[in-house]
């Protein structure tokens, strides 16, 4: 009976893998790797460091993508052999080991399957995430800080590099806003699911009467621009203010005015940076994020799909996409996908993969539905 069960499950694994392999277009992937490898071996590659970095980064990402596919195929083959041998010898321990391996392969297949759904123009890019406290006073500011920690922990658990680019602290506790960058393949595709209004319900630690409070925070996600995007911003369209960086409670952390606030006059977009040590570095970082936001704005205008890419995030009642309820019960629920978790502590500690995977699938289904209606 065990062999029959494993046989059906392995058949399902192979079917799922075949669909992933087809979407991934392995032959084209190999051809792309060959082209990038040839470019990476050019003797004059590093004459242009920016272009060289792009080539080596793309090669690394494409090779990692192929390696995942090859290793996963081999793992399924190995599992089938393990089951056959264990069944022939009646080895229960090996069958138990095979069951554990089967579940591990299923998890890896789910991860790859989700990536195949990330087919948007900017989905493969690094992401810049901005969190802003919304309605709810000091609870909202505290909630914004909780969300910042949640995303940084999620990135850490997945081995993604992050850089906090700007933080604006609230007077009593928490954050007015924070901006951070996530460097990873498909970072924007994954994290763009998180864009919208998040709602927290709990007994407020800041309320002396122990009342239950509702607070909101807005999450904005944009793709990081690349050198080839050509977003030119004339100096005449920029207003640049320099100020002193500050930490919690207004304590000065810099002895010079190195923080930069950059305003794009035609659109009113404002970007602040204070993570870097020098004014010049903060200016460069601010300009890059501003260019990323203008790039996304241009895309929205071209496609006339602003709601799909960024949305109008108000951070208040009637606009929330996820609820984090700590009282009177424990639940985190995405209101678009209906995916939920009963352990908010784990979610706030970075356990977001379930929400992101469900969101990616939901978005792909919604896009397909709209396409069918056109």
């Amino acid at each position: 009976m065990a062999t029959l069960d494993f046989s059906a499950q392995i058949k399902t694994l192979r079917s799922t893998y075949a669909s992933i392999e087809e979407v991934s277009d392995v032959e084209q992937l190999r051809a792309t790797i060959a082209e990038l490898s040839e470019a990476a071996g050019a003797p004059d590659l590093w004459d242009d460091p920016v272009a060289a970095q792009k080539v080596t980064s793309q090669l690394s990402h494409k090779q990692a993508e192929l390696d995942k596919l090859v290793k996963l195929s081999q793992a399924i083959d190995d599992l089938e052999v393990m089951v056959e041998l264990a069944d022939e010898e009646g080895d229960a321990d090996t069958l138990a080991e095979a069951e554990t391996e089967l579940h591990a392969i299923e998890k890896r297949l789910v991860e790859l399957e989700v990536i195949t759904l990330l087919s948007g123009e900017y989905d493969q890019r690094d992401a810049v995430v901005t969190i802003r406290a919304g309605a709810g006073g000091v609870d909202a500011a505290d909630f914004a800080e909780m969300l910042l920690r949640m995303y940084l922990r999620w990135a850490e658990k997945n081995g993604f590099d992050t850089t906090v680019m700007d933080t604006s602290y609230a007077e009593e506790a928490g954050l007015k806003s924070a901006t951070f960058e996530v460097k990873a393949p498909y970072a924007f595709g994954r994290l763009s699911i998180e864009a919208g209004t998040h709602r927290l319900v709990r007994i407020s630690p800041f309320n002396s009467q122990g009342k239950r409070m509702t607070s909101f925070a807005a999450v904005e996600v944009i793709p990081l621009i690349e050198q080839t995007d050509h977003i030119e911003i004339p100096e005449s369209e920029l207003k640049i203010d320099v100020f002193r960086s500050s930490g919690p409670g207004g304590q000065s952390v810099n002895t010079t005015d190195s923080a930069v606030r950059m305003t794009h006059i035609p659109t009113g977009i404002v970007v602040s940076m204070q993570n870097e040590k020098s004014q010049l570095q903060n200016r460069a970082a601010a300009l890059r994020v501003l260019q990323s936001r203008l790039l996304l704005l241009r895309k929205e205008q071209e496609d006339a799909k602003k709601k799909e890419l960024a949305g109008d995030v108000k951070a208040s009642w009637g606009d929330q996409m996820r609820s984090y309820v700590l009282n009177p019960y424990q639940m985190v629920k995405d209101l678009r996908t209906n995916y939920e978790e009963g352990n908010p502590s784990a979610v706030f500690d970075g356990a977001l993969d379930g929400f992101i995977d469900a969101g990616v699938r939901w978005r792909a289904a919604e896009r397909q539905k709209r396409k069918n209606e056109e």
Side-chain angles (χ1 to χ4, degrees):
M1 180 63 69
T3 302
L4 289 176
D5 287 342
F6 272 109
S7 177
Q9 290 167 341
I10 290 173
K11 184 177 180 181
T12 299
L13 293 181
R14 290 197 184 282
S15 176
T16 303
Y17 176 82
S19 63
I20 292 173
E21 189 177 42
E22 182 179 358
V23 172
S24 300
D25 196 348
V26 174
E27 291 307 312
Q28 180 58 48
L29 186 58
R30 292 183 189 278
T32 300
I33 290 172
E35 291 174 5
L36 290 170
S37 296
E38 184 177 352
D44 60 347
L45 174 69
W46 289 97
D47 289 351
D48 183 346
V50 173
Q53 181 64 41
K54 183 177 179 180
V55 168
T56 56
S57 178
Q58 286 183 338
L59 177 58
S60 176
H61 291 166
K62 294 295 183 183
Q63 188 62 60
E65 189 177 339
L66 179 61
D67 288 346
K68 281 184 179 180
L69 288 166
V70 171
K71 289 178 181 177
L72 194 49
S73 178
Q74 185 61 53
I76 296 173
D77 290 342
D78 293 345
L79 174 64
E80 189 169 33
V81 171
M82 182 189 299
V83 170
E84 289 175 355
L85 292 176
D87 191 56
E88 288 174 4
E89 300 175 6
D91 188 341
D93 289 341
T94 301
L95 282 175
E97 182 183 344
E99 184 175 356
T100 299
E101 178 63 15
L102 183 143
H103 293 318
I105 292 173
E106 286 177 335
K107 183 178 179 182
R108 290 162 64 186
L109 278 171
V110 167
E111 292 173 354
L112 277 179
E113 192 174 23
V114 167
I115 287 177
T116 64
L117 298 175
L118 298 176
S119 56
E121 183 176 355
Y122 303 122
D123 281 353
Q124 296 187 44
R125 301 280 185 93
D126 295 341
V128 177
V129 182
T130 298
I131 302 168
R132 296 185 179 88
V138 65
D139 279 282
D142 188 53
F143 183 30
E145 188 165 34
M146 292 165 66
L147 290 178
L148 174 62
R149 180 186 182 277
M150 179 181 75
Y151 290 121
L152 294 180
R153 290 286 290 130
W154 170 79
E156 181 183 346
K157 287 174 184 289
N158 282 280
F160 301 155
D161 291 333
T162 59
T163 302
V164 177
M165 307 172 79
D166 182 63
T167 49
S168 176
Y169 293 93
E171 292 181 7
E172 187 172 342
L175 299 169
K176 292 179 181 178
S177 66
T179 298
F180 63 96
E181 179 183 349
V182 180
K183 294 182 178 180
Y186 296 97
F188 175 70
R190 290 184 174 106
L191 284 170
S192 56
I193 287 299
E194 295 296 300
T197 299
H198 298 241
R199 169 178 173 256
L200 173 67
V201 180
R202 65 173 176 177
I203 298 297
S204 172
F206 305 101
N207 186 290
S208 59
Q209 297 178 344
K211 290 184 177 181
R212 189 165 65 243
M213 300 291 290
T214 300
S215 55
F216 300 86
V219 175
E220 176 198 69
V221 185
I222 59 175
L224 194 63
I225 69 157
E226 295 180 353
Q227 295 293 328
T228 55
D229 289 324
H230 300 301
I231 299 293
E232 297 293 338
I233 307 176
E235 284 287 332
S236 60
E237 294 184 356
L238 295 176
K239 177 187 176 185
I240 300 174
D241 299 306
V242 178
F243 59 99
R244 181 161 296 179
S245 300
S246 62
Q251 296 175 347
S252 175
V253 295
N254 284 48
T255 56
T256 60
D257 294 334
S258 61
V260 171
R261 181 182 298 107
M262 186 173 290
T263 303
H264 184 239
I265 297 171
T267 62
I269 295 174
V270 179
V271 176
S272 296
M273 287 294 145
Q274 59 177 316
N275 180 68
E276 304 295 345
K277 293 181 180 180
S278 76
Q279 184 185 133
L280 189 62
Q281 290 173 313
N282 279 320
R283 180 181 172 124
L287 182 60
R288 195 173 184 203
V289 172
L290 176 59
Q291 288 173 320
S292 294
R293 288 184 173 162
L294 290 175
L295 175 68
L296 188 59
L297 181 61
R298 184 177 71 181
K299 176 65 176 175
E300 290 167 355
Q301 291 170 339
E302 289 172 353
D303 294 348
K305 292 181 179 179
K306 185 173 183 179
K307 282 287 184 182
E308 178 181 337
L309 287 175
D312 182 16
V313 183
K314 298 185 178 103
S316 60
W317 284 102
D319 194 45
Q320 61 266 23
M321 44 73 78
R322 185 177 301 152
S323 288
Y324 305 74
V325 181
L326 307 185
N327 184 277
Y329 53 88
Q330 301 270 310
M331 177 76 70
V332 180
K333 182 174 182 177
D334 193 292
L335 306 180
R336 305 159 303 178
T337 66
N338 289 321
Y339 183 87
E340 59 185 44
E341 292 282 356
N343 186 352
S345 295
V347 175
F348 279 122
D349 197 39
L352 281 174
D353 284 336
F355 288 98
I356 291 174
D357 290 354
V360 170
R361 295 178 189 281
W362 166 80
R363 182 172 60 191
E366 288 294 304
R367 286 174 175 170
Q368 186 59 48
K369 186 189 302 182
R370 286 195 296 270
K371 187 175 181 181
N372 292 339
E373 291 173 352
E374 292 175 354

